[in-house]
Amino acid sequence: MVNLQLSTYELAKLSDVIIRARRIVVFTGAGVSAESGIPTFRDAQTGLWAKFKAEHLATANAFRQDPALVWGWYEWRRMLVMQAQPNAAHRSIAMLASYVPRLTVITQNVDDLHERAGSKDVIHLHGSLFKPRCFACARQHASGVDIPNQPDAGQRVEPPRCIHCNGRIRPSVVWFGEQLPAVEWNAAMAAVTRNACDVFISIGTSSVVYPAAELPFEARSNGAIVIQINLAPTESDMYAHYNLYGPAGEILPQLLNTAWGSQDF
Ligand code: BJW
Ligand code: ZN
């Protein structure tokens, strides 16, 4: 069933654009994991920032002031991710790699659901829940593979200590006010600039957090056709050639099956 809110003419044009593309970039945000049961940040009622204050949990200063609160919150989130499964959108993205000469997956998500669906070399712009490191000396800490001991969302958990300098271990995510990891950011920019990308598909992001939100704009400025899939309009609608509204786990498989005339996605 095709319900992409496009006219037959637009759908035919979009299908043509997709199957002709040689280099596709898929750019994802929290919405791509929502159907796996992972909360987004900014959705009213269900988003994390509707219940928790970002400045108390997602800044270096918050960690300095109350490391156990911050560590406990991230352990709770790590537990949610470890108990979740990739959904149809993650699986379609992984499958797409077999259909185009070059697919680059760039995510703002700190979960590992793209990898568990089979995507390779995913560029994580905002880090990962699974590579904790020392807050003081930045060395990686060997943990994060066990399912945490069922903490509640607001439960304080003392972070472990670094075996090298006794500093506190922090989650290796990018907090507000911190630079994005240079290697990942440069790889993301390289994938969208200098005509490196024919089609850029943005999925499930509100496009309000910078510099990640620059990517659809950069892609379009560099010649890409920009497609956005989201439940609702976002700050990036104006940069997208096609805005498809609905759940990513339904819209993306429909779109790709329509483009290739298949049932593979
Ligand atoms: C579905 C769906 C379904 C739901 N299907 N769709 C003023 C102007 C411009 C910039 C700034 C400013 N003031 C401060 C800044 C900078 C700041 C920033 O951008 N702030 C804005 C919020 C204003 N940025 C930074 O600080 C960044 N660093 C930086 O700029 O460094 C340079 C610098 C450093 C020092 C000094 C000076 C300069 C770092 C940003 C780090 C963001 N970190 C977080 C937390 C990561 C760790 C963690 O997970 O806890 O990253 S914040 C949070 O937002 C997380 C996400 O990756 C990020 C983006 O969110 P996302 O993915 O878009 O989620 P939502 O919830 O916003 O949207 C979900 C969407 O999905 C919605 O649209 C739904 O409709 C949709 N949806 N279900 C399809 N089933
Ligand atoms: Zn250390």
Side-chain angles (χ1 to χ4, degrees), residues 27-34 36 38-41 77 81 87 90 93 105-115 122-130 172-174 203-206 212:
F27 171 57
T28 65
V32 81
S33 296
S36 294
I38 307 297
T40 63
F41 292 92
R77 288 183 49 207
V81 169
N87 64 51
H90 297 110
I93 294 165
V105 181
I106 305 171
T107 189
Q108 297 165 84
N109 298 345
V110 296
D111 65 47
D112 61 351
L113 296 177
H114 283 305
E115 285 87 349
V122 179
I123 299 172
H124 282 268
L125 293 180
H126 292 162
S128 160
L129 288 172
F130 299 98
S172 201
V173 301
V174 182
I203 307 175
T205 174
S206 58

Side-chain angles (χ1 to χ4, degrees), residues 133-139 161-169:
R133 67 173 196 266
C134 177
F135 189 63
C137 77
R139 285 192 183 94
R161 292 284 183 164
C162 174
I163 56 166
H164 304 286
C165 77
N166 202 37
R168 289 192 172 90
I169 299 301

